[in-house]
Amino acid sequence: TPVPCFCDCSFSANKHKPWIETEYQGIVMENDNTVLLNPPLFALDKDAPLHYAELTFTVPWEICGFRVHNGPGGSGSTQFEAVVLDRSTGEGLVRSKEPLDCESHKEHSFTIQAYDCGEGPDGTNSKKSHKATVHVRVNDVNEFSPVFVERRYEASVPEDRLFDRIVRVEAIDADCSPQYSQICFYDIITPNVPFTIDNDGNIKNTEPLDSKRQRVHSFWVTAFDCGKNRAQADAQVIVTVKPSCKPGWIGWTKRIEYTPGSGSIPLFPNLRLEACEETVWNIQATVELQTGHIGKGCDRDSYSDRSVRRLCGAVRGEVDLLPPPSPATNWTTALPTLPSSDSSLVFSFNGSTHVAVVPDSVASAVSGDHFTLQLWMRRGGAKEETIICNDSYSHYSLSVHGCRLSLFYWPDVSATRPVKFLWKLEQVCDSEWHHLSLSVQFPSVTLYVDGVTFDPALIHDNGAIPNPAPHQRLVIGACWGNFTISHLGYKGLLSGVTVRPGNVEPHSVVECLYACREGLDFGDLETLGSGMKVHVNPSQSVLVLEGDEIESFNRAVQQVTYKNSLRFATPGVRPLKLTTSLRCFSEESCLSLRQMEGYLVVLQPDAPQISLSGVGPHLARPAAEFEGPQGVPLFPELRIVCSLSHAVNTAAQGMEGGGMFSPKTVISLMSDAVAHTLDGCEVQPLGEELNSEREELLVDMEALKERGLDIINTTAYIAITGHFFHINLMSISVYEDVLRSICYRLAKGSARFERRFRLSCSEMNGRYTSNELTLEVKNTTEHRTLILYHPSHLLASQQQFLHPSHHTGELSGHTLPNPHRNSVVPGAATVIIMVCVGFLVVMVILGVFRIRSIHRRSEGARGGGKEGSSQWDDSALNIIVNPMEEEVVDSPDDTSDDQRIIKKEGRDSAPRRY
């Protein structure tokens, strides 16, 4: 309002702008609006003041107001205002229009200007100051409590260890200032736990943890901010204690059982590798199956070496230099033999007295410059030793010296030095069985050891070697020189030593001869993971797996299998080893795994039962039939059946069918007919050998040859063996046909009227044998004639042929005699003579049967209760009485036969190998 002017007065001009500080720092408490500035807000004006008594005027030096502008960030002017507290002094105040929140905005910046009151009563021409910057900081108030990031914390740790940190808990505070937003400390509020927590929330154990004592630990923790506010809600911590992680294989089974005939079975179905979180980039595992103690290094065909050659397709014509001892092959009789699980014959040589000198007739069959020498050997010596020496035809010598094998060969016997072929082989001195095949096609020599080819070192100048002796000698185990055996004798084991003249054996045949029928294998190569490799050695005794990823490696290990293709596998223990090597990114902390050891047990296979039947214990025929050109067939109705007997769990079968059984398991035997191939049958006369001048056994040689069978026919026995060209269902029937055709023939007028034969068969090179059939043969006509005229001779003959030492078992069967009935009508004049003679005959017969009855009772007492072993099958027996030619029929009561399995006794008990 203009001031009325009662006098002439004038106002000073507004020449100066108000002045304020250029910058202010302000503080305001959260939830408050008054800003405390530093320095305080004052505005000054330099215009001269006017003094009027009791008059109030708007004068230029007074500060009428402050204006707030946006700051550099474009904010602040709307939230703050400035007011004038004293116009004359220019004091002002800055305040917020509403309470401030530090959590949303900690600092504010804006500018402020001061305005004076202008000129004259209307305040025109007012001046404004420069803009001053105001920085306002909002001070925090501890209005929030800590909050945990997670309501539940879990961790797993191995036992028996102390850790620097197991798990870290974390809480946050919503306050904006460091004082109230920071968590000053944490606390475990659950008492008596073996854990502690630091101010940063790290939890560790105060003592080693035991998973057996307490598997899971659960406790609660809380947090405090620096304003001592406690967390709104506590957090739960759960620590699981794991058993100590021991790096290695988990799921190893030390004993593994294998049932013959099972094919392939996995060795490690549950095995896996535990690396305990170690970073592994290469894994290699080696599985070793030790079969060196099984036969000749592993489970091979149970047939003889000769039979295996036939199965492998080897060319016929080999000569066995170490055959089984027999009358025809007596040069191996003095050599000691050792038992072998693969049914082969193993000969032992001591380096001095054990020597086999092959007859010249055999040695001459293997002469020539082209031949194949094959043998199995096992040796561990270091001295120079001679294996085989031929000084007669091919002029060669095979020797060993330490771990070197050498062949001396004389292309010309008059040469002063031979050609020497030398091989350095660990196999000839490691005390393990190895198969050697030496093919000589001079000047080329090829050596196969366990089916692998080795090249020789050829030496022509090897010093003074004595020329072969002029005597024709083929010696096994030493060398013949100067009419004596040399001192360089072989010390070790040999088996299957054969020589075949002519072209050398193909490599495929040699590999087949050595091939194992058991070994390690891999289930399915298509399932191998990426980066996995598998390798199996030729003998299938070592399998190597390599990979770079643990899970793929574990799947591969579980597919390692053992297989055995033999139906009658050799039972016993096969040691098993697993060696593992790891490569890690950190070589210093890389794991070292111990070797795992176990064993595979091949169970006893179900033994095949070879049953011979259809042959009666007695065979009675007239003498004329025995003396005929064809003789009498001994086994016309022979039947051969092979079966397997195995245990069957009938309780399990009953439960499957819903039946009820007692708690005890019921086990029964079950027999299945199977296809077999016999490797030999033998017919042997019991008692004394056949008299070649009076009796013989006839065999159709052409039929044998057509069927691929061999025969050894001596006075002591007949042995029929097979070549094994074909293994099929016809094999047994072939033996049946041949055995049924064997006939017994007597010479004209032969006094012999009784003979006993024994028949037996075997398979797997004599490993399994049949029951034994014993057959008693007699000619009826000659028998009764002798009773009539020579009763004392008959009794003597009965004592001779019913000797108590010949005990036999009897098998069911019967033989129908072929009676010859002659009807004669006597004349009237001879009636009285007939009656007298008939009475005499009756008395003689009664006396004979009385004596035989007493003899049978005494023989039964001596024979250990084997009754009926000497009873005759005399049904429908004809007795012709001379000179009246009246026929009398005598039928003793002998109708029952017992079936038994015969055990070999005495000198006849040794089985022959075919």
Side-chain angles (χ1 to χ4, degrees):
T1 304
V3 177
C5 184
F6 299 99
C7 62
D8 188 12
C9 59
S10 62
F11 295 92
S12 60
N14 190 8
K15 300 179 180 180
H16 300 91
K17 295 178 180 180
W19 178 90
I20 59 176
E21 297 287 342
T22 59
E23 186 174 14
Y24 293 90
Q25 300 293 332
I27 298 175
V28 62
M29 295 300 295
E30 191 176 22
N31 300 324
D32 195 1
N33 56 3
T34 301
V35 180
L36 300 178
L37 292 180
N38 183 25
L41 181 60
F42 284 93
L44 302 177
D45 196 316
K46 294 182 180 182
D47 289 319
L50 295 175
H51 300 283
Y52 297 95
E54 298 179 0
L55 294 176
T56 302
F57 296 97
T58 301
V59 293
W61 64 84
E62 290 183 343
I63 302 301
C64 286
F66 294 94
R67 291 183 181 178
V68 176
H69 304 278
N70 287 337
S75 63
S77 62
T78 59
Q79 292 180 295
F80 293 89
E81 61 180 359
V83 296
V84 179
L85 297 180
D86 188 346
R87 295 174 64 177
S88 61
T89 61
E91 181 181 1
L93 173 68
V94 176
R95 62 187 179 190
S96 63
K97 297 178 181 179
E98 58 185 19
L100 299 178
D101 186 5
C102 176
E103 285 72 34
S104 62
H105 213 150
K106 294 182 180 181
E107 293 182 351
H108 301 270
S109 296
F110 53 90
T111 59
I112 188 173
Q113 281 181 310
Y115 293 85
D116 60 15
C117 293
E119 299 177 356
D122 55 358
T124 59
N125 196 24
S126 64
K127 300 289 184 179
K128 57 183 179 181
S129 68
H130 62 271
K131 291 181 179 180
T133 303
V134 180
H135 298 283
V136 179
R137 184 179 75 249
V138 182
N139 278 359
D140 187 25
V141 175
N142 192 12
E143 58 183 327
F144 295 101
S145 298
V147 177
F148 281 98
V149 177
E150 303 286 345
R151 294 296 303 275
R152 181 174 179 175
Y153 294 87
E154 297 185 17
S156 298
V157 294
E159 62 182 354
D160 298 331
R161 289 176 58 185
L162 289 174
F163 297 90
D164 294 334
R165 185 177 74 175
I166 295 177
V167 65
R168 181 178 181 271
V169 298
E170 183 183 5
I172 58 175
D173 196 304
D175 291 314
C176 66
S177 65
Q179 178 182 3
Y180 300 130
S181 65
Q182 289 185 356
I183 307 299
C184 278
F185 63 94
Y186 295 87
D187 189 21
I188 297 176
I189 60 177
T190 304
N192 303 323
V193 293
F195 299 93
T196 184
I197 189 170
D198 61 15
N199 293 338
D200 295 326
N202 297 313
I203 297 176
K204 63 180 181 180
N205 55 325
T206 58
E207 62 184 41
L209 304 178
D210 188 353
S211 64
K212 300 180 181 63
R213 186 174 62 184
Q214 186 172 351
R215 182 68 182 275
V216 178
H217 294 266
S218 177
F219 53 94
W220 294 84
V221 297
T222 189
F224 293 88
D225 62 18
C226 294
K228 296 185 179 180
N229 277 358
R230 181 174 172 174
Q232 292 180 355
D234 300 326
Q236 185 184 20
V237 179
I238 298 176
V239 177
T240 303
V241 183
K242 298 186 301 183
S244 298
C245 181
K246 298 178 181 179
W249 291 102
I250 299 176
W252 174 264
T253 303
K254 188 172 184 180
R255 174 188 171 94
I256 305 170
E257 291 187 353
Y258 178 81
T259 302
S262 301
S264 297
I265 62 168
L267 291 177
F268 320 112
N270 302 314
L271 191 64
R272 62 184 180 88
L273 178 63
E274 176 59 63
C276 294
E277 300 181 358
E278 180 67 38
T279 304
V280 179
W281 66 272
N282 182 266
I283 316 168
Q284 182 172 307
T286 302
V287 184
E288 297 181 62
L289 181 70
Q290 299 180 18
T291 58
H293 60 292
I294 304 298
K296 299 188 187 72
C298 66
D299 211 352
R300 293 184 170 86
D301 283 304
S302 300
Y303 304 112
S304 64
D305 292 331
R306 180 184 180 187
S307 301
V308 173
R309 288 183 56 82
R310 299 295 181 265
L311 289 172
C312 291
V315 180
R316 300 182 62 182
E318 80 282 353
V319 176
D320 194 351
L321 300 184
L322 288 180
S326 68
T329 57
N330 56 5
W331 67 89
T332 59
T333 304
L335 293 178
T337 59
L338 299 179
S340 175
S341 59
D342 63 354
S343 303
S344 61
L345 200 57
V346 176
F347 293 92
S348 176
F349 294 81
N350 61 2
S352 57
T353 58
H354 297 163
V355 175
V357 181
V358 182
D360 295 343
S361 59
V362 177
S364 61
V366 294
S367 62
D369 292 336
H370 293 180
F371 61 91
T372 300
L373 173 65
Q374 298 195 31
L375 57 94
W376 286 92
M377 68 175 296
R378 180 179 179 181
R379 170 187 171 273
K383 300 187 302 182
E384 184 176 359
E385 303 167 3
T386 301
I387 301 175
I388 182 171
C389 184
N390 186 358
D391 287 342
S392 54
Y393 299 98
S394 296
H395 314 298
Y396 60 85
S397 174
L398 185 65
S399 305
V400 285
H401 189 182
C403 293
R404 288 176 170 82
L405 179 73
S406 59
L407 173 68
F408 293 91
Y409 189 83
W410 283 265
D412 184 0
V413 72
S414 62
T416 57
R417 293 189 181 97
V419 178
K420 180 180 180 181
F421 300 89
L422 183 65
W423 298 267
K424 185 177 181 181
L425 304 167
E426 295 294 333
Q427 290 89 334
V428 298
C429 61
D430 61 0
S431 299
E432 300 290 343
W433 278 108
H434 295 284
H435 180 260
L436 277 64
S437 178
L438 195 66
S439 297
V440 178
Q441 198 168 10
F442 192 80
S444 174
V445 175
T446 304
L447 174 66
Y448 298 96
V449 180
D450 298 337
V452 180
T453 308
F454 289 87
D455 296 326
L458 187 60
I459 301 175
H460 289 275
D461 186 6
N462 56 344
I465 302 296
N467 288 6
H471 310 282
Q472 296 182 354
R473 290 290 185 271
L474 177 57
V475 184
I476 309 295
C479 202
W480 186 277
N482 297 327
F483 303 99
T484 61
I485 299 297
S486 69
H487 65 282
L488 302 177
Y490 176 75
K491 187 175 182 180
L493 303 179
L494 292 177
S495 178
V497 182
T498 63
V499 174
R500 185 183 63 81
N503 295 332
V504 299
E505 295 283 11
H507 189 194
S508 58
V509 173
V510 177
E511 287 181 335
C512 177
L513 293 174
Y514 172 73
C516 294
R517 296 295 182 257
E518 68 172 340
L520 301 173
D521 199 3
F522 192 81
D524 187 3
L525 292 174
E526 295 182 357
T527 61
L528 271 179
S530 176
M532 289 296 304
K533 301 178 182 178
V534 61
H535 173 74
V536 184
N537 69 336
S539 62
Q540 295 184 296
S541 61
V542 178
L543 184 144
V544 180
L545 280 174
E546 186 175 357
D548 52 11
E549 201 272 322
I550 291 182
E551 291 302 323
S552 298
F553 196 87
N554 287 337
R555 289 192 296 268
V557 168
Q558 294 172 4
Q559 294 198 51
V560 176
T561 62
Y562 168 80
K563 67 175 184 179
N564 195 320
S565 60
L566 294 183
R567 179 168 28 177
F568 306 109
T570 303
V573 175
R574 277 80 162 161
L576 196 64
K577 292 182 180 180
L578 175 61
T579 306
T580 312
S581 63
L582 303 177
R583 300 183 68 180
C584 308
F585 288 102
S586 176
E587 294 294 338
E588 295 180 357
S589 62
C590 197
L591 306 175
S592 177
L593 304 183
R594 66 182 182 89
Q595 185 182 71
M596 306 299 293
E597 296 185 357
Y599 54 93
L600 174 77
V601 180
V602 177
L603 302 178
Q604 184 72 34
D606 295 328
Q609 306 295 325
I610 309 172
S611 175
L612 308 182
S613 61
V615 177
H618 310 295
L619 176 63
R621 291 289 188 273
E625 294 188 21
F626 287 100
E627 295 175 357
Q630 302 298 329
V632 175
L634 294 180
F635 317 108
E637 299 179 1
L638 174 66
R639 292 184 65 250
I640 305 176
V641 177
C642 292
S643 62
L644 284 177
S645 297
H646 53 274
V648 178
N649 191 336
T650 56
Q653 293 180 353
M655 293 182 67
E656 292 177 0
M660 299 296 294
F661 288 91
S662 63
K664 293 184 178 180
T665 302
V666 181
I667 300 295
S668 65
L669 288 179
M670 195 171 182
S671 181
D672 296 329
V674 295
H676 284 257
T677 300
L678 301 180
D679 55 17
C681 290
E682 182 180 280
V683 179
Q684 180 183 13
L686 299 180
E688 61 186 25
E689 296 183 4
L690 295 176
N691 188 331
S692 58
E693 297 180 356
R694 295 183 300 171
E695 55 186 340
E696 63 178 338
L697 291 175
L698 302 178
V699 183
D700 189 350
M701 301 302 296
E702 292 297 328
L704 286 175
K705 186 176 180 181
E706 291 177 0
R707 289 172 169 81
L709 298 176
D710 288 338
I711 185 172
I712 301 176
N713 193 351
T714 67
T715 58
Y717 65 92
I718 287 182
I720 300 174
T721 60
H723 286 326
F724 297 96
F725 277 124
H726 303 286
I727 307 294
N728 51 42
L729 294 175
M730 296 301 295
S731 299
I732 291 180
S733 62
V734 168
Y735 277 93
E736 286 180 338
D737 292 342
V738 172
L739 292 174
R740 289 170 183 170
S741 66
I742 295 179
C743 298
Y744 177 57
R745 188 172 71 88
L746 292 174
K748 293 289 185 179
S750 175
R752 176 171 294 279
F753 57 89
E754 180 184 358
R755 166 64 78 179
R756 301 169 65 208
F757 293 96
R758 182 171 63 194
L759 170 64
S760 63
C761 297
S762 66
E763 74 169 310
M764 298 295 174
N765 199 28
R767 184 174 174 181
Y768 302 107
T769 58
S770 70
N771 61 313
E772 295 178 348
L773 291 181
T774 302
L775 176 67
E776 291 190 62
V777 179
K778 64 180 179 179
N779 55 63
T780 56
T781 304
E782 193 169 309
H783 177 58
R784 288 309 179 189
T785 303
L786 292 175
I787 289 177
L788 177 63
Y789 292 107
H790 304 286
S792 61
H793 176 69
L794 173 62
L795 295 179
S797 300
Q798 288 176 341
Q799 293 292 339
Q800 175 184 359
F801 291 107
L802 301 178
H803 195 277
S805 63
H806 294 166
H807 301 301
T808 62
E810 299 174 359
L811 291 141
S812 62
H814 63 275
T815 303
L816 297 176
N818 184 19
H820 297 274
R821 298 180 179 272
N822 299 320
S823 299
V824 180
V825 179
T830 61
V831 173
I832 298 176
I833 298 175
M834 290 173 59
V835 172
C836 294
V837 173
F839 179 79
L840 178 62
V841 171
V842 171
M843 295 300 297
V844 171
I845 292 175
L846 290 176
V848 170
F849 278 99
R850 176 65 176 170
I851 295 174
R852 291 182 61 191
S853 177
I854 296 174
H855 178 70
R856 280 198 300 269
R857 286 197 296 270
S858 63
E859 182 180 0
R862 291 191 299 268
K866 293 186 178 181
E867 300 178 1
S869 62
S870 59
Q871 296 179 2
W872 296 100
D873 187 5
D874 293 334
S875 59
L877 182 63
N878 295 330
I879 300 177
I880 302 176
V881 182
N882 287 320
M884 304 303 298
E885 296 183 352
E886 182 175 358
E887 182 180 64
V888 179
V889 179
D890 188 350
S891 301
D893 185 14
D894 186 10
T895 59
S896 64
D897 294 320
D898 298 330
Q899 182 174 357
R900 301 183 182 94
I901 296 179
I902 312 301
K903 295 184 178 179
K904 295 184 178 181
E905 301 176 356
R907 68 178 181 88
D908 298 327
S909 62
R912 293 184 175 86
R913 301 177 184 271
Y914 307 120

